[in-house]
Amino acid sequence: PAVVWAELEHLDVFDDGQVVNAWWTRHGEASNSILMLSFPPPPPSEVAEAALRRFQGKWLLFLGEWRGCTGSSGFFNLLEAGWTVLETFEVPRWPMMEDKAFFL
């Protein structure tokens, strides 16, 4: 099978420059876009919240612990206000953690 490589773009979700805004317009608003947030860092980081605010697509895959050790309360407030969990999947996890994959 052939291997297909895509060029990597190094962008910052907190950057409000023209290049980054154009990227979000191209990728975050398409009807088939999906935002995947895999184990976003807990507070004080607001990266998951910032990405969710910029994303205008209709699908989200969140891997982590719901209101646990991943993401901030602001992130979960946004999820609970504007998204619906459609499916939850079990994933391998560390003992005493409640990590799952949430499809919204």
Side-chain angles (χ1 to χ4, degrees):
V3 175
V4 177
W5 294 93
E7 190 170 327
L8 182 64
E9 298 175 74
H10 294 274
L11 304 172
D12 185 332
V13 72
F14 297 108
D15 185 354
D16 200 27
Q18 185 177 5
V19 171
V20 173
N21 288 335
W23 186 92
W24 280 103
T25 299
R26 245 184 359 263
H27 299 289
E29 296 178 1
S31 63
N32 62 347
S33 290
I34 182 167
L35 177 63
M36 180 179 151
L37 295 170
S38 178
F39 301 96
S45 175
E46 296 177 355
V47 69
E49 185 177 348
L52 188 57
R53 285 187 188 281
R54 296 192 85 153
F55 182 66
Q56 298 300 308
K58 55 192 237 185
W59 306 110
L60 172 68
L61 180 62
F62 164 65
L63 285 93
E65 198 171 34
W66 197 273
R67 289 204 181 268
C69 294
T70 55
S72 65
S73 59
F75 168 67
F76 289 103
N77 292 343
L78 285 173
L79 284 181
E80 290 168 354
W83 293 82
T84 301
V85 176
L86 302 173
E87 191 82 35
T88 303
F89 303 93
E90 295 294 324
V91 296
R93 59 182 180 228
W94 293 102
M96 301 175 60
M97 302 302 288
E98 294 297 324
D99 300 318
K100 291 184 169 71
F102 300 89
F103 182 65
L104 298 94

